[in-house]
Amino acid sequence: MSSKKKAKQYCVFIKDFKDGRQYFLTGMVGICEREPNRKVKVSVLDEQMHCTTVITNLKLLSKEEAGFLLSLKLPDRSRWLCNDELLKSVCSLQRNDVVQLSTNKVGIVKDILSLSLYSELKKTHIVVELLDGIGGKTQTVHPSEIVCVSSSSSATASLHAEERKLSSEDEEAQQKLNGRSNLASQRSGISSSETNVADYPACSSLSSAEHHKDPSEVQHPSNTAMNLNIPDLEIGSMVEVKAKNNATVYGVLRWIGKLSAYEEDYAGIELDYEMKECTDGTFKGQRFFRCASNRGMFIKLAECKPDGRFLSSLPQDGFKSSSCPKGTPVDGKPIGENTTTYLLRTLSSGKVVEDEDLMEDVPPVTESEALLKMEGRMKGIQGHYNSCYLDSALFSLFSFSPVLDSILHLPLKQEEKVQEILRREIVNPLRKTGFVSAESVMKLRKSLRCESFTFEEKDPEEFLTLLLHQVLAVDPLIKIRSCDKIQECYSYQIIMEQDNALKVPSVQQLLERSFLTCNLKFEEIPSCLIIQMPRFGKAYKMFPKIVPSLELDITDLLYNTPRECFICGRLAEVECYQCVMDPYLMPGKNKQFCCLCNKQVHIHRKRQDHVTQKLDFPVDVSATALFPRYKLELFAVLCIQTSHYVSFVKYGPSKTSWLFFDSMADRQGGVKGRNIPEIKACPQVGEYLTMSEEELASVDLKQMDEFAKRFFCDMYMCMYQCPALYLYR
């Protein structure tokens, strides 16, 4: 009698738990099978591990959902498990569905590409035709970049309804852009009156060739607020608007009036920084005001609000009434003054803008809102009096990562004031507004009880040791075993001898070589690992270029952890430092062997004088067990050039999600002026990191991009995190 083959049932862990000596983390995907004792046997696909658990620790998945989650990194799966409706929508996409991407772009699904991932599980990519113009440009994206889905039936009906409203070709294409926000709004439950700035057609950069080849500058009688009954805003007012992801963007009101084909009053805003799909003050070939390219935005006037950053310094009745003559200063601010200029002048006068909301905890900036909130001038932490070491360290640690958030809430017997300043005046404003004033930074520097830190040049590791160890008394981030003694520290300095064979080493190679040379092992997996590169002083560098490993595998550097034999994969019992650079044994990799392979490798006459070291591991480990790999993720790199520190920070999982931060990029006002911090997107850094070590070694420094050159050649410190652990330490 033939038995029916049982269908595979996929599942995902929704709780962390320990089974024997193995840890199983939230987000791990597996295949489950019910046991007679009401328990479930799970074969984990991520690490090839097995366990028996209760059903309440699991969530059952469809084949498509399992494949989708398995294609994501483990830390990125949690947010999808919290949004079951979006997960099901993304995993059941069909052609002609309308989707909204994390970049705020909207498009129509044109094709679904599948690649084999594991057995019957597939990794998919979506081909989307973007609705950002007349052209019909397509883009291939991973489903994880989708934030909203509208089914093809409802989307088609909405599009047809919108297209019937306008007859001209230009207006029809423009109306299609208008309709895209309605589709997303219907899906998310947002009314049309609450649509955001990214939905408005005037934000798109339609070329003048598509409308009028020789646009003339139009003078509109509505160019002053006198002609409109707008009591709170006028030409020259500083305003803020909300983007789709709730990030706030700021600018100066330059024009108010009517746009053809739209009944509502619109406003023309000059933004503080460039944004894609914005213009230079023109709309459909007609000029309404003048500004730099990609800074002009047209939005509904009703969506504009006074700039909240300066409301505390304004009179209680808010902005001046529109009855004021044109050019009248508003609370000392000349009308038409750029927001950045006013912000500098406000800070120079000693005014500090306070916000009651900053008392509440603010989570790290997400990838979807990073560029809108953080990119531009007067963004980041404002430098002052040799503070670049502190600015770059704090920005790297707190802007996009929660790895050290625990120190903001630890119960302290002393120095609660320092902790409060760090949380309320540095971290929360940085994450909420994208800016921290020099006054707030100086307040923190003075609270450290070390006068030299208020004016002298320092190094990031000096500041971190003072803050974490001497002031806040936080437990050391790193515990290292050396000769049966445990050393504790907050950062690790790579120490090694010069090796001319290493042309362009990776951080992985340098750390392994340093640990082997000094006979060191990690006592435990660090939740945050800060590594200083091998250089002496601020001038001498041991290597002209260093590649920061995106993933740092520390499995072979852990004490009392089972490791696999380099040759056969069984349980390793000894390691050999002299075999590391053996040209016949994959030079540069750690070498550990089981007893049998150790004898075979060292029977060679050139290896008979090698001295091996016995490895420590739990006594009850099976020799044939599968051993998990423990890896840390790179989230920031600090660089130094001529005594000035800057930082490169990874703001999301995408390979190109990199930002460059300089707390003293420019200066205004001479000796008595202020520094202007700046944040710039540098996706090219991510592109270089995808190259092999051989390709990077062959790249001519003179032809390297400016950001990439600083990134690889001026590296001072790398910061790594373990997302699975930083919530618990």
Side-chain angles (χ1 to χ4, degrees):
M1 190 168 144
S2 61
S3 59
K4 210 174 188 180
K5 190 175 179 181
K6 226 177 183 180
K8 291 182 180 178
Q9 178 62 67
Y10 295 98
C11 63
V12 61
F13 290 102
I14 57 175
K15 294 180 181 179
D16 295 344
F17 72 97
K18 183 180 179 183
D19 184 20
R21 292 184 173 272
Q22 293 180 319
Y23 288 91
F24 297 87
L25 306 176
T26 300
M28 284 185 170
V29 177
I31 300 173
C32 60
E33 182 181 339
R34 282 192 177 273
E35 295 286 307
N37 57 358
R38 294 187 177 181
K39 290 200 172 183
V40 181
K41 182 179 180 181
V42 182
S43 300
V44 181
L45 301 179
D46 292 273
E47 300 287 350
Q48 295 183 346
M49 298 187 296
H50 304 273
C51 71
T52 301
T53 183
V54 292
I55 192 66
T56 53
N57 287 337
L58 305 172
K59 171 185 171 64
L60 300 182
L61 301 173
S62 67
K63 179 177 64 177
E64 291 76 19
E65 291 168 350
F68 169 69
L69 291 176
L70 202 59
S71 69
L72 302 177
K73 290 186 177 180
L74 187 60
D76 300 330
R77 299 175 190 173
S78 298
R79 72 182 183 91
W80 289 93
L81 295 178
C82 297
N83 194 339
D84 190 58
E85 183 179 350
L86 181 59
L87 175 62
K88 291 184 183 299
S89 298
V90 168
C91 293
S92 58
L93 278 174
Q94 297 179 358
R95 288 181 177 84
N96 297 323
D97 281 353
V98 176
V99 296
Q100 180 185 344
L101 306 180
S102 58
T103 57
N104 285 338
K105 293 182 178 179
V106 175
I108 300 176
V109 176
K110 288 299 179 184
D111 200 2
I112 301 175
L113 310 176
S114 297
L115 299 173
S116 180
L117 186 66
Y118 174 87
S119 184
E120 62 179 354
L121 300 185
K122 305 291 184 182
K123 176 180 180 180
T124 60
H125 283 82
I126 312 299
V127 179
V128 178
E129 180 180 329
L130 301 177
L131 300 178
D132 58 354
I134 299 175
K137 179 182 176 183
T138 60
Q139 180 178 341
T140 302
V141 300
H142 188 270
S144 62
E145 297 181 48
I146 296 173
V147 297
C148 189
V149 180
S150 181
S151 66
S152 56
S153 56
S154 61
T156 303
S158 299
L159 284 173
H160 287 321
E162 294 297 333
E163 288 171 357
R164 286 196 297 268
K165 291 182 181 178
L166 296 174
S167 58
S168 71
E169 184 177 337
D170 289 346
E171 290 176 333
E172 184 178 18
Q174 196 61 55
Q175 188 67 22
K176 189 178 268 190
L177 291 179
N178 276 350
R180 73 188 190 183
S181 64
N182 297 333
L183 296 174
S185 300
Q186 291 168 9
R187 192 71 172 175
S188 57
I190 302 175
S191 65
S192 59
S193 62
E194 295 173 330
T195 51
N196 294 309
V197 64
D199 300 328
Y200 298 130
C203 295
S204 62
S205 53
L206 298 176
S207 65
S208 59
E210 296 171 11
H211 302 283
H212 303 284
K213 291 186 177 179
D214 299 310
S216 59
E217 188 165 349
V218 180
Q219 298 294 335
H220 294 268
S222 56
N223 261 2
T224 68
M226 301 274 194
N227 303 315
L228 297 169
N229 186 23
I230 306 297
D232 295 324
L233 298 174
E234 61 183 7
I235 305 302
S237 294
M238 294 180 298
V239 295
E240 65 179 47
V241 292
K242 287 281 188 181
K244 272 190 177 180
N245 55 6
N246 285 328
T248 303
V249 294
Y250 302 94
V252 179
L253 191 58
R254 296 301 189 199
W255 174 87
I256 298 175
K258 300 284 188 181
L259 292 174
S260 60
Y262 301 104
E263 296 181 357
E264 302 95 332
D265 294 323
Y266 269 74
I269 298 177
E270 179 184 357
L271 298 178
D272 284 357
Y273 43 82
E274 293 184 6
M275 284 182 60
K276 293 180 180 179
E277 301 184 348
C278 287
T279 72
D280 61 352
T282 61
F283 174 63
K284 286 193 174 182
Q286 292 185 332
R287 180 169 297 283
F288 294 87
F289 64 94
R290 292 186 180 275
C291 66
S293 298
N294 298 321
R295 290 199 179 188
M297 178 181 286
F298 293 86
I299 66 171
K300 291 179 182 178
L301 183 60
E303 298 292 330
C304 298
K305 295 193 301 184
D307 192 330
R309 295 176 296 180
F310 310 109
L311 290 180
S312 63
S313 61
L314 296 174
Q316 289 184 357
D317 57 351
F319 278 55
K320 297 286 185 181
S321 169
S322 60
S323 60
C324 296
K326 188 176 180 179
T328 302
V330 180
D331 193 38
K333 175 190 73 65
I335 291 177
E337 182 176 34
N338 181 274
T339 305
T340 298
T341 306
Y342 178 64
L343 182 55
L344 282 168
R345 190 165 56 76
T346 303
L347 293 173
S348 299
S349 65
K351 297 178 181 178
V352 178
V353 179
E354 295 181 355
D355 188 344
E356 292 184 0
D357 291 342
L358 299 182
M359 297 176 63
E360 300 179 0
D361 293 334
V362 182
V365 180
T366 62
E367 183 178 32
S368 60
E369 64 181 350
L371 295 181
L372 280 176
K373 181 179 286 189
M374 307 295 278
E375 189 180 16
R377 289 166 64 86
M378 285 303 289
K379 291 293 183 178
I381 302 176
Q382 187 180 32
H384 189 52
Y385 283 138
N386 299 321
S387 68
C388 61
Y389 67 91
L390 178 146
D391 307 327
S392 57
L394 290 177
F395 182 83
S396 299
L397 287 169
F398 292 106
S399 53
F400 304 103
S401 171
V403 66
L404 287 186
D405 278 15
S406 59
I407 72 171
L408 304 175
H409 306 283
L410 286 175
L412 301 176
K413 296 180 180 179
Q414 298 177 345
E415 306 306 337
E416 289 185 359
K417 180 181 178 182
V418 178
Q419 188 185 51
E420 184 177 343
I421 293 172
L422 181 63
R423 182 177 69 251
R424 292 180 53 181
E425 300 200 29
I426 305 293
V427 178
N428 285 353
L430 177 63
R431 292 173 174 177
K432 185 175 179 64
T433 69
F435 177 76
V436 178
S437 69
E439 282 73 16
S440 296
V441 177
M442 181 56 74
K443 192 173 180 180
L444 175 65
R445 295 168 76 182
K446 289 180 178 179
S447 69
L448 296 177
R449 299 179 306 171
C450 185
E451 187 178 356
S452 63
F453 275 82
T454 61
F455 61 90
E456 288 185 0
E457 290 183 359
K458 299 287 184 180
D459 293 322
E461 68 273 15
E462 292 182 81
F463 162 65
L464 292 175
T465 301
L466 175 69
L467 175 68
L468 300 178
H469 177 55
Q470 299 181 30
V471 178
L472 298 180
V474 175
D475 290 339
L477 302 177
I478 308 170
K479 295 181 180 181
I480 296 177
R481 178 176 288 268
S482 174
C483 300
D484 295 328
K485 294 182 180 179
I486 298 177
Q487 302 175 3
E488 299 179 333
C489 53
Y490 296 88
S491 62
Y492 177 73
Q493 170 71 64
I494 289 179
I495 301 172
M496 58 179 293
E497 297 178 357
Q498 181 74 48
D499 188 348
N500 296 326
L502 287 174
K503 301 299 181 184
V504 183
S506 65
V507 174
Q508 179 81 47
Q509 291 174 320
L510 296 178
L511 184 64
E512 289 179 350
R513 196 72 63 86
S514 180
F515 265 51
L516 285 170
T517 303
C518 303
N519 192 22
L520 304 176
K521 285 285 186 290
F522 285 114
E523 179 68 15
E524 61 184 22
I525 302 172
S527 59
C528 178
L529 177 59
I530 301 174
I531 306 174
Q532 295 171 242
M533 297 302 103
R535 55 189 300 160
F536 303 100
K538 295 170 182 175
Y540 175 74
K541 297 182 290 186
M542 184 175 287
F543 301 99
K545 284 189 288 188
I546 297 177
V547 181
S549 307
L550 287 173
E551 283 190 333
L552 195 65
D553 192 334
I554 62 169
T555 308
D556 298 335
L557 306 179
L558 288 169
Y559 173 74
N560 200 32
T561 299
R563 295 149 60 183
E564 62 180 23
C565 174
F566 177 75
I567 303 295
C568 68
R570 292 169 66 89
L571 180 66
E573 298 184 38
V574 298
E575 66 179 343
C576 180
Y577 173 69
Q578 291 156 293
C579 284
V580 169
M581 295 310 298
D582 192 306
Y584 300 102
L585 292 173
M586 197 181 294
K589 301 290 184 181
N590 271 17
K591 306 299 187 306
Q592 57 273 339
F593 310 102
C594 65
C595 287
L596 180 60
C597 292
N598 180 48
K599 291 178 182 179
Q600 293 176 340
V601 168
H602 290 99
I603 201 172
H604 194 286
R605 64 178 184 276
K606 291 184 178 180
R607 304 190 192 106
Q608 290 178 355
D609 59 342
H610 287 192
V611 178
T612 60
Q613 290 184 326
K614 189 175 180 181
L615 293 175
D616 295 293
F617 53 85
V619 295
D620 56 348
V621 176
S622 170
T624 58
L626 294 174
F627 309 114
R629 309 297 298 182
Y630 301 98
K631 298 178 181 180
L632 308 181
E633 296 177 356
L634 177 71
F635 70 93
V637 173
L638 271 65
C639 298
I640 184 171
Q641 188 180 58
T642 59
S643 300
H644 180 62
Y645 289 98
V646 296
S647 62
F648 292 85
V649 182
K650 201 168 191 309
Y651 65 86
S654 174
K655 68 176 183 180
T656 56
S657 297
W658 284 93
L659 288 176
F660 169 79
F661 166 62
D662 186 348
S663 64
M664 303 178 184
D666 200 357
R667 189 167 179 84
Q668 183 171 355
V671 177
K672 295 184 179 180
R674 292 287 170 135
N675 291 309
I676 299 178
E678 186 171 17
I679 299 175
K680 293 183 178 180
C682 50
Q684 60 271 40
V685 167
E687 298 292 347
Y688 276 103
L689 285 172
T690 62
M691 299 170 62
S692 66
E693 295 173 14
E694 293 76 16
E695 290 174 322
L696 271 174
S698 62
V699 174
D700 186 0
L701 289 176
K702 294 180 181 179
Q703 297 179 354
M704 218 174 205
D705 172 84
E706 177 187 354
F707 286 121
K709 188 184 297 184
R710 296 187 74 173
F711 184 80
F712 292 106
C713 301
D714 298 329
M715 192 182 304
Y716 182 85
M717 178 181 282
C718 290
M719 296 181 174
Y720 288 87
Q721 63 184 1
C722 180
L725 293 179
Y726 58 57
L727 296 176
Y728 306 100
R729 294 184 184 171

